[in-house]
Amino acid sequence: MSAVPGLKEDCEELLGAFQRADTVRFERFAELWRERRFHSVFHGRVRALERNKLTKKTLDFAQQYFLPPYSFQIRVGALYLLYGLYNAQLCRPKQKIRIALKDWPEIQKFQLDLLDSQHYDATYIFRKLRLARAFHFTAMPKLLTYRHKKKTGEHHFREEFKDPSNRVNTLISNDVLEELMNIHYHYHKMKCAISADKSQPDKSLSLIKDDFVANLKDITLEHHEWLQNRMKLFQDAKETDKIENKKKEEALLASEGSERASALARIKYRSYSAAIEVSKSRRHRQVQLESSESGPSCGKSPGRSKKPSRRPQPARRRGEMQVAKETVTQHIGMPIITEEDTDE
Amino acid sequence: QESHATGKRPDNPADLIEEGELLLTLNIFYPVIFQKHKDHKPYQTVLVLGSQKLTELRDSISCVSDLQIGGEFSSQPDQAPEHISKDLYKSAFFYFEGIFYNDKRYPECRDLSRTIIEWSESHDRGYENFQSVKMEDYVFNDLSLKIGFPYLYCHQGNCEHIVIITDIRLIHHDDCLDRSLYPLLVKKHWLCTRKCFVCKMYTARWVTNRDSLAPEDPCFFCDVCFRMLHYDAEGNKLGEFLAYPYVDPGIFN
């Protein structure tokens, strides 16, 4: 399908403004929508056939922002955008939003996240769309057309919208740390139970570093902070040194996101600052809110105040992303982790 | 692509489509008759339900070759349309993913795919073993299909249509929920009909070859002009010619 002229720019402008607004509240999005009179995107075509085509293409285009790898805030913005577009459309019966089978688990996960972080307005909007039967559940995301002469252009990801990921953090995610913490706590309890002194395990049973989970957490955080600083450095260098160092500049195109990404982290922090009661079946994993500084002495799960897996990370250049300029792989050297002394 | 049947509900409640039914969108391409169609093949778009049999789709495909009447009728023009090809040659098959689904509902039906299977098995041609099964035993839900991949529908022995599935999705509240209307034709390519050479008004129903009375070969006539030119008041044949009943591809417009 040939692209609708100007639609990409308009959507990205709106989503960009929403991102800068630093919030996920629907009221804010609605203000931005009304400011731009966004409902008028559909006013271009009068005849029924063209109107249908235009609406289909518009919804199809907006839908992709709703899925990964876009950042959390952009995805919420995309949800609001879809809601607005679905209701503002002029076609009767209404054109639907296509969701492929493979994307559905992601969306369900997203909805659960919204619920957990108490973004009830976003959840409500999604529920309204479901109740309005706004979705077509399809096998493939894009409807096939046979216009082989009109090539659909490659979709260039807007770097700022992407949620950059860090390989270390995807491996050592919040869930992994929680599990480790929990297992460690049980292990500790087990050792105490079979020892003579019930309050602490026998010396002969200490085979691992007691606080290794906390250390792991600290190391990951350290790595993350190091990356942030590195990115900041590059960014400053970029601002002062635009013309000279071409290579650095190109590598930094991807790092623009870090500023906005830290703003995103702040939003999330605000919403996660309420602890959630876990269900009775998970009694052993009560959530407790902790500050970042607390040590390993309390063997409970670290709480929801931090989510390293969603921490903003500088973007890694991926194979499929094609920016207009030549692809330059980033060479950020890895930090050297010193061996720790055993403290037993 | 909104069709007339959108949102329809059946009169008979037994015909109501249930939730969870799959809806497939198929493009059935016309065989290339005109050279101008070679690059942009005209096609019709059909919606079919997952629980429908392949034979239901086969019956719904309208192809001009089914209406052809074989034979030369210059001596007996009134006896022309007796048997259309659809009634005479009932065999047909679908080819999906290595399996030939042959229509075997009538005793006259033959396995048209046998030729292909024998050819493929005669030497090592690099194809996997093909299977041949009965079309009437299968519904679309039984098939494994690729979206966008060209499959084949063959009837009349050599009339071949490419079939491509463009979409599979769950049935929706706003769709036509009357089962009796499926397979549902939603889009059709409009073909120009050939008009009578004489009056230029009516669609051609006859074509003549080696016609001493006609300015060109072949020449197309509507029924009235054909009889007026080639037969006298008593119905005697005038001049030398061969006449065949003609079915215009645009007849389904």
Side-chain angles (χ1 to χ4, degrees), chain B residues 54-69:
Chain B
L54 294 177
T55 43
E56 294 180 63
L57 175 65
R58 183 255 198 276
D59 292 336
S60 77
I61 296 175
S62 49
C63 174
V64 68
S65 64
D66 279 335
L67 302 172
Q68 297 297 346
I69 301 154

Side-chain angles (χ1 to χ4, degrees), chain A residues 62 100 105 108 110-111 139 172 181 232 269 320:
Chain A
Q108 285 181 315
F110 182 65
Q111 196 202 2
I172 310 200
M181 215 31 144
K232 242 209 153 232
Y269 178 69
E320 61 266 69

Side-chain angles (χ1 to χ4, degrees), chain A residues 96 98 133 136-137 139 146, chain B residues 164 167-168 170 172-174:
Chain A
K96 311 288 186 281
R98 289 174 64 91
R133 300 189 177 101
H136 264 167
F137 301 98
Y146 287 90
Chain B
I164 298 185
D167 188 28
I168 303 177
L170 286 176
H172 189 274
H173 180 263
D174 288 346

Side-chain angles (χ1 to χ4, degrees), chain B residues 72 74-75 207-217 219 221 226 229-231 236-243:
Chain B
E72 202 277 317
S74 58
S75 317
V207 60
T208 59
N209 290 121
R210 306 217 291 256
D211 193 346
S212 50
L213 301 164
E216 55 188 31
D217 194 325
C219 195
F221 299 93
F226 174 70
L229 177 62
H230 294 92
Y231 302 91
N236 298 317
K237 184 171 164 181
L238 304 168
E240 285 301 315
F241 60 93
L242 300 167

Side-chain angles (χ1 to χ4, degrees), chain A residues 4 18 21 23 28 60 78 98 126 202-203 259 268 304 333:
Chain A
V4 179
F18 184 62
T23 171
R28 190 74 190 97
D60 209 36
R98 289 174 64 91
F126 183 71
D202 282 343
K203 282 292 171 189
E259 228 181 351
K268 286 217 194 112
R304 306 262 187 177

Side-chain angles (χ1 to χ4, degrees), chain B:
Chain B
Q1 237 189 354
E2 297 313 322
S3 72
H4 52 284
T6 313
K8 265 220 174 108
R9 298 291 180 269
D11 296 324
N12 179 2
D15 282 342
L16 187 69
I17 297 172
E18 287 165 7
E19 223 178 298
E21 179 76 77
L22 282 176
L23 189 71
L24 292 94
T25 312
L26 300 156
N27 282 356
I28 302 169
F29 289 78
Y30 301 165
V32 177
I33 304 174
F34 303 111
Q35 292 306 309
K36 68 180 180 188
H37 286 156
K38 262 194 176 162
D39 294 321
H40 297 281
K41 287 211 182 82
Y43 59 89
Q44 48 180 291
T45 307
V46 174
L47 295 178
V48 76
L49 299 171
S51 60
Q52 287 191 299
K53 290 199 236 184
L54 294 177
T55 43
E56 294 180 63
L57 175 65
R58 183 255 198 276
D59 292 336
S60 77
I61 296 175
S62 49
C63 174
V64 68
S65 64
D66 279 335
L67 302 172
Q68 297 297 346
I69 301 154
E72 202 277 317
F73 289 97
S74 58
S75 317
Q76 57 281 5
D78 298 321
Q79 290 168 25
E82 275 295 327
H83 296 287
I84 59 174
S85 299
K86 188 168 190 172
D87 301 327
L88 287 172
Y89 310 114
K90 293 208 178 87
S91 316
F93 70 78
F94 282 108
Y95 171 78
F96 291 119
E97 293 294 307
I99 304 176
F100 290 93
Y101 298 87
N102 282 280
D103 191 354
K104 287 291 181 69
R105 288 174 291 172
Y106 308 101
E108 304 95 0
C109 291
R110 293 165 50 227
D111 184 352
L112 296 175
S113 62
R114 206 159 39 99
T115 329
I116 304 174
I117 296 177
E118 281 168 6
W119 170 85
S120 142
E121 285 171 356
S122 59
H123 296 292
D124 178 18
R125 303 200 191 259
Y127 292 107
E128 311 245 323
N129 279 339
F130 293 126
Q131 292 175 58
S132 172
V133 299
K134 285 197 198 160
M135 194 197 282
E136 57 269 27
D137 291 343
Y138 288 83
V139 295
F140 278 95
N141 280 335
D142 297 331
L143 308 174
S144 330
L145 297 169
K146 291 184 195 152
I147 294 186
F149 191 85
Y151 297 116
L152 192 70
Y153 168 63
C154 178
H155 66 136
Q156 300 290 324
N158 65 352
C159 185
E160 292 176 348
H161 302 249
I162 302 267
V163 175
I164 298 185
I165 295 143
T166 51
D167 188 28
I168 303 177
R169 62 172 173 84
L170 286 176
I171 199 88
H172 189 274
H173 180 263
D174 288 346
D175 293 324
C176 168
L177 295 182
D178 186 351
R179 182 177 284 277
S180 63
L181 293 174
Y182 284 91
L184 183 67
L185 186 67
V186 294
K187 183 174 174 185
K188 208 185 187 90
H189 188 93
W190 187 86
L191 290 166
C192 290
T193 56
R194 230 191 266 269
K195 298 287 192 284
C196 170
F197 185 82
V198 179
C199 61
K200 309 269 200 283
M201 266 179 17
Y202 293 105
T203 310
R205 297 262 312 281
W206 290 95
V207 60
T208 59
N209 290 121
R210 306 217 291 256
D211 193 346
S212 50
L213 301 164
E216 55 188 31
D217 194 325
C219 195
F220 296 89
F221 299 93
C222 71
D223 197 50
V224 175
C225 296
F226 174 70
R227 288 171 200 277
M228 268 176 35
L229 177 62
H230 294 92
Y231 302 91
D232 64 16
E234 282 85 47
N236 298 317
K237 184 171 164 181
L238 304 168
E240 285 301 315
F241 60 93
L242 300 167
Y244 305 91
Y246 174 75
V247 184
D248 192 272
I251 198 170
F252 295 113
N253 283 356

Side-chain angles (χ1 to χ4, degrees), chain A residues 12-275:
Chain A
E12 286 184 352
E13 198 276 315
L14 176 58
L15 287 173
F18 184 62
Q19 196 178 40
R20 282 191 300 275
D22 217 22
T23 171
V24 286
R25 296 280 74 82
F26 182 67
E27 294 105 355
R28 190 74 190 97
F29 184 86
E31 271 170 29
L32 295 169
W33 171 283
R34 272 183 239 120
E35 264 171 43
R36 287 158 183 73
R37 291 171 51 79
F38 213 81
H39 65 283
S40 49
V41 292
F42 294 119
H43 288 181
R45 312 282 167 90
V46 181
R47 290 170 53 214
L49 188 64
E50 289 177 357
R51 217 171 46 211
N52 289 342
K53 270 200 235 169
L54 170 69
T55 312
K56 265 203 197 126
K57 287 186 197 175
T58 310
L59 285 173
D60 209 36
F61 182 78
Q63 173 250 31
Q64 66 199 329
Y65 290 102
F66 187 39
L67 303 166
Y70 288 103
S71 67
F72 182 77
Q73 197 185 12
I74 293 297
R75 290 179 72 182
V76 179
L79 171 64
Y80 295 152
L81 178 64
L82 281 172
Y83 179 71
L85 288 173
Y86 180 77
N87 286 310
Q89 66 174 293
L90 303 166
C91 302
R92 295 286 177 274
K94 293 200 167 157
Q95 295 295 332
K96 311 288 186 281
I97 304 163
R98 289 174 64 91
I99 305 278
L101 191 65
K102 64 175 173 74
D103 294 327
W104 199 244
E106 288 287 347
I107 294 177
Q108 285 181 315
K109 208 162 67 126
F110 182 65
Q111 196 202 2
L112 286 174
D113 286 340
L114 286 176
L115 263 178
D116 287 339
S117 30
Q118 301 188 324
H119 293 305
Y120 293 133
D121 51 0
T123 320
Y124 178 70
I125 296 286
F126 183 71
R127 207 176 122 80
K128 281 220 81 170
L129 278 175
R130 286 298 303 271
L131 286 173
R133 300 189 177 101
F135 296 109
H136 264 167
F137 301 98
T138 67
M140 302 301 284
K142 263 186 144 33
L143 188 60
L144 272 186
T145 50
Y146 287 90
R147 317 296 248 137
H148 52 91
K149 290 212 174 106
K150 301 178 187 171
K151 283 213 166 118
T152 51
E154 303 256 347
H155 184 72
H156 299 191
F157 284 118
R158 257 290 272 270
E159 291 301 337
E160 298 87 51
F161 291 177
K162 267 174 51 83
D163 203 15
S165 70
N166 177 319
R167 295 227 174 98
V168 174
N169 274 34
T170 48
L171 178 63
I172 310 200
S173 69
N174 191 50
D175 295 331
V176 170
L177 280 177
E178 261 188 59
E179 279 290 331
L180 281 174
M181 215 31 144
N182 193 46
I183 293 169
H184 186 75
Y185 173 64
H186 280 297
Y187 179 59
H188 185 85
K189 270 194 33 190
M190 196 64 61
K191 284 202 287 189
C192 291
I194 61 173
S195 309
D197 174 8
K198 297 295 171 189
S199 64
Q200 63 175 359
D202 282 343
K203 282 292 171 189
S204 57
L205 289 173
S206 41
L207 299 160
I208 60 158
K209 291 185 194 173
D210 260 342
D211 51 356
F212 91 97
V213 180
N215 282 343
L216 187 62
K217 209 164 54 189
D218 292 338
I219 290 170
T220 333
L221 271 174
E222 206 183 289
H223 171 77
H224 162 67
E225 276 160 18
W226 175 85
L227 270 172
Q228 293 276 59
N229 292 336
R230 199 72 191 253
M231 280 295 122
K232 242 209 153 232
L233 254 160
F234 274 155
Q235 200 151 11
D236 296 339
K238 178 191 175 187
E239 277 162 13
T240 58
D241 198 45
K242 277 198 174 171
I243 304 160
E244 293 186 42
N245 213 336
K246 264 280 176 179
K247 257 200 179 161
K248 253 200 213 167
E249 188 187 319
E250 273 154 6
L252 286 176
L253 273 174
S255 69
E256 270 180 336
S258 61
E259 228 181 351
R260 302 216 170 100
S262 50
L264 169 59
R266 286 202 304 280
I267 299 168
K268 286 217 194 112
Y269 178 69
R270 270 185 241 138
S271 72
Y272 293 156
S273 52

